[in-house]
Amino acid sequence: MKHSAPLPLFDRALLGPAIAGAFAKLSPRVQMKNPVMFVVYVGSILTTVLFAQALTGEGEAPAGFILAVSLWLWFTVLFANFAESLAEGRSQAQAAALKGLKKTTWAKKLQKPQFGAATYTVPADDLRRGDVVLITAGEFVPADGEVIEGVASVDESAITGESAPVIRESGGDFSAVTGGTRVLSDWLVVRVTTNPGEAFLDRMIAMVEGAKRQKTPNEIALTILLVALTLVFLLAVATLLPFSLFSVAAAGLGSPVTVTVLVALLVCLIPTTIGGLLSAVGVAGMSRMMQANVIATSGRAVEAAGDVDVLLLDKTGTITLGNRQASAFIAAEGVSERELADAAQLASLADETPEGRSIVILAKERFNLRERDLHALEASFVPFTAQSRMSGVNLGDPEKPRQLRKGAADAIRRHVEAQGAAFPAGVQRQVDEVARGGGTPLVVSDDAKVLGVIALKDIVKGGIKERFAELRRMGIKTVMITGDNRLTAAAIAAEAGVDDFLAEATPEAKLALIRQTQGEGRLVAMTGDGTNDAPALAQADVAVAMNTGTQAAKEAGNMVDLDSNPTKLIEIVEIGKQMLMTRGALTTFSVANDVAKYFAIIPAAFATTYPQLAMLDVMRLNSPASAILSAVIFNALVIVALIPLALKGVNYRALGAAALLKRNLLIYGVGGLVVPFIGIKLIDLLLGPVLNLFA
């Protein structure tokens, strides 16, 4: 699915359903799931009952005052519900877009699992795991599956947003096909790997519907903290009424504090701001992951990404561009560099690999050597094989051709020694020097004569070293995984700026490294696309499977990258950390702004019982009624004001934990202390004259 532009924070199409959802969530069953807001909910009901009593003339306070407090408490609950509904609406809009991709598809089911067997047409919904179908050019893939025969180009733009078609073929790591994609050429025989309702598209829809997500461990821990604070304030406020009654009875002066005022005090002191926005932050985190074209199986996976402190990254395609490029011609003793370049170019003219093309281009750039016509030279191409480990070209007389070869040093050594020649010691030293420098040496020979070495280099991606430096400042360790030998791996690791590397990596070695790291109490993230990556993906705390990878890899991971971009892992970690930073910022602000509300309500609540408390009225508010209402109104409006921050997230910065804590306390701690004083005073200035009219 393409996510070129994220939804606006307050999209008109989402506001209506979000407002309706805010009222729908007033059900007690829904409110009980959020203990902090449930206290506000109960307080709203209680003040409504007190208002009804006041209308009969038996009220503890003026009916207008109780009504105002009650209405703003209901608004507080509704605003919190609205924040959660808006976040859910954004995720559900994404799910609706995915549902639009589902079409009624017909499948050609094979009676025998091979091309050419008889077929009969069935609805895609009737397919079951293990069924075999034939898909030809122009047809949609009816269900998730594995290619068991054939090769074809497939349009996956409906799922990934990438317009370029991909090749799918039997065997290897590119055999998985996704239901809803379309075959553009040739044909495929596919074995279905999922039952109806279990397809990747179905799982995507379920994953992005954030309302159904489970609470994460961090969110549960924060909820426990908020509940504990709420209980502390509840007990403290509950003792104030008997204390006030006793004081009035003993002194015979003033009047006791009212239940309405105590409810207002309790609601303003408990952490309602973060309590009202906590769920919205979690849903928005999953939504931001989806906007990055990453499907997370749960909010737990997103949160784990924020806690990760070790990243395992594949070298090829992640740290390097993925294709080795020719960087230098190193001629043997007695051979000119031009002679070596000429032979290397001839040996590579028919080589369509990126490495082969780079050799041709380097020879052209260095010595202006133009490509020759192999037909005019009566040349025959010798392709690379796993057995020979070299390629090249034969020129001239087919009976006794001139043999130009390029390949691994040991392969060329065997080639020239078979013709009775010796492999030069100087060339071997050149081979070793290229390997130590992190390059891949290819040796070139002309018949039995060794001409020199071509240095192939893995090109490290631009800017990747700076990204790793940012991760290091955040306290995240980066480990490069590669199948290269230790010399090559060490050189590339040094150039890229990673903290460590695992060379000559096998599935067993990756799994052992992850377990060892986790045994040290650290959280590990990695990417993978092949079946051989599945064990390590299953073990990792954050496992990002490539959408182009095998079914085994996607099932082992807890995230799927629809773009199949290995560098996405860094972005995933940033999104996870942004969610945790947002939650921490809002919690800091919520706790800090209770201080100002304390200074507003306490002097007002006990103005008649304890006149001495007037010295705490540092804001010099108009009247006790105005002070209490101003604090309650601010408490409700601040939730609305912080909804954009909860949905968008705080600005991400690559800083360490200590620096983030200091910044958090400075901006949201100090801000949480100062802003309420200003906000409550401004509301009081507006509210005071209105209350005086009704006095």
Side-chain angles (χ1 to χ4, degrees), residues 361-381:
I361 292 169
L362 183 63
K364 186 187 299 184
E365 291 175 348
R366 290 283 179 85
F367 302 102
N368 199 29
L369 295 173
R370 299 296 172 185
E371 297 184 23
R372 273 65 57 90
D373 186 353
L374 290 177
H375 293 291
L377 295 171
E378 298 181 356
S380 60
F381 179 56

Side-chain angles (χ1 to χ4, degrees), residues 375-393:
H375 293 291
L377 295 171
E378 298 181 356
S380 60
F381 179 56
V382 179
F384 176 89
T385 66
Q387 291 75 28
S388 68
R389 299 183 65 207
M390 60 183 180
S391 63
V393 65

Side-chain angles (χ1 to χ4, degrees), residues 284-296:
M286 293 188 69
S287 180
R288 283 196 295 274
M289 199 69 77
M290 185 62 188
Q291 288 170 10
N293 256 14
V294 177
I295 302 296

Side-chain angles (χ1 to χ4, degrees), residues 152-210:
S153 61
V154 180
D155 175 12
E156 295 188 340
S157 58
I159 302 294
T160 66
E162 179 56 55
S163 58
V166 296
I167 301 298
R168 291 288 178 262
E169 57 187 333
S170 59
D173 292 342
F174 298 93
S175 60
V177 289
T178 304
T181 58
R182 188 162 63 97
V183 173
L184 298 178
S185 68
D186 304 290
W187 54 269
L188 297 172
V189 175
V190 174
R191 178 179 289 111
V192 177
T193 56
T194 59
N195 291 321
E198 300 174 358
F200 182 59
L201 195 55
D202 294 308
R203 287 187 284 123
M204 286 171 64
I205 293 169
M207 290 170 192
V208 299
E209 290 180 327

Side-chain angles (χ1 to χ4, degrees), residues 14-26 78 81-82 85:
L14 301 180
L15 288 178
I19 293 171
F23 284 94
K25 289 178 180 290
L26 289 176
L78 286 171
N81 291 349
F82 174 76
S85 294

Side-chain angles (χ1 to χ4, degrees), residues 209-553:
E209 290 180 327
K212 298 178 181 177
R213 83 195 205 293
Q214 297 295 315
K215 284 190 175 181
T216 63
N218 185 285
E219 190 173 346
I220 291 171
L222 183 55
T223 300
I224 293 172
L225 172 64
L226 298 181
V227 170
L229 288 174
T230 301
L231 287 174
V232 168
F233 284 120
L234 180 61
L235 292 173
V237 170
T239 61
L240 292 178
L241 181 59
F243 191 75
S244 175
L245 290 170
F246 173 79
S247 299
V248 170
L253 297 172
S255 58
V257 65
T258 64
V259 174
T260 301
V261 170
L262 290 179
V263 170
L265 175 63
L266 174 62
V267 169
C268 288
L269 292 187
I270 63 176
T272 52
T273 305
I274 183 60
L277 297 173
L278 183 60
S279 183
V281 172
V283 177
M286 293 188 69
S287 180
R288 283 196 295 274
M289 199 69 77
M290 185 62 188
Q291 288 170 10
N293 256 14
V294 177
I295 302 296
T297 58
S298 66
R300 183 187 296 267
V302 181
E303 183 180 287
D307 285 329
V308 158
D309 46 16
V310 177
L311 289 186
L312 303 187
L313 301 158
D314 273 333
K315 180 202 75 174
T316 306
T318 304
I319 295 173
T320 64
L321 292 176
N323 297 319
R324 295 172 300 175
Q325 304 288 312
S327 60
F329 295 114
I330 307 171
E333 187 177 352
V335 178
S336 70
E337 189 177 343
R338 183 185 180 88
E339 183 183 354
L340 170 61
D342 181 61
Q345 188 186 65
L346 283 170
S348 304
L349 286 178
D351 185 353
E352 293 299 329
T353 65
E355 292 87 350
R357 301 312 302 163
S358 72
I359 294 171
V360 173
I361 292 169
L362 183 63
K364 186 187 299 184
E365 291 175 348
R366 290 283 179 85
F367 302 102
N368 199 29
L369 295 173
R370 299 296 172 185
E371 297 184 23
R372 273 65 57 90
D373 186 353
L374 290 177
H375 293 291
L377 295 171
E378 298 181 356
S380 60
F381 179 56
V382 179
F384 176 89
T385 66
Q387 291 75 28
S388 68
R389 299 183 65 207
M390 60 183 180
S391 63
V393 65
N394 291 336
L395 302 175
D397 185 2
E399 296 296 326
K400 194 176 180 182
R402 177 188 175 193
Q403 300 180 3
L404 294 175
R405 298 288 186 270
K406 71 176 193 299
D410 56 345
I412 298 297
R413 179 189 294 275
R414 288 193 298 270
H415 176 69
V416 298
E417 287 178 350
Q419 300 178 65
F423 192 86
V427 173
Q428 184 59 54
R429 286 193 295 272
Q430 293 169 350
V431 167
D432 295 339
E433 186 176 341
V434 170
R436 278 194 298 272
T440 301
L442 287 183
V443 179
V444 179
S445 68
D446 185 351
D447 288 330
K449 182 181 180 181
V450 178
L451 301 178
V453 176
I454 307 169
L456 297 180
K457 185 180 180 182
D458 278 306
I459 307 300
V460 173
K461 288 183 176 180
I464 197 75
K465 190 169 187 177
E466 290 72 19
R467 295 295 295 275
F468 289 151
E470 288 181 8
L471 292 171
R472 194 174 296 111
R473 286 195 295 272
M474 295 162 57
I476 296 176
K477 178 182 179 181
T478 52
V479 181
M480 183 183 77
I481 307 294
T482 178
D484 291 337
N485 62 62
R486 288 191 60 82
L487 283 176
T488 302
I492 295 174
E495 184 179 354
V498 295
D499 298 309
D500 202 354
F501 64 89
L502 176 65
E504 299 173 349
T506 62
E508 294 79 10
K510 293 179 188 177
L511 186 60
L513 176 61
I514 293 174
R515 286 175 174 170
Q516 177 187 340
T517 305
Q518 290 172 332
E520 298 169 357
R522 312 184 80 171
L523 267 67
V524 180
M526 75 163 288
T527 59
D529 59 3
T531 301
N532 64 338
D533 292 322
L537 287 171
Q539 182 67 36
D541 300 288
V542 176
V544 184
M546 301 295 101
N547 189 42
T548 55
T550 62
Q551 190 70 21

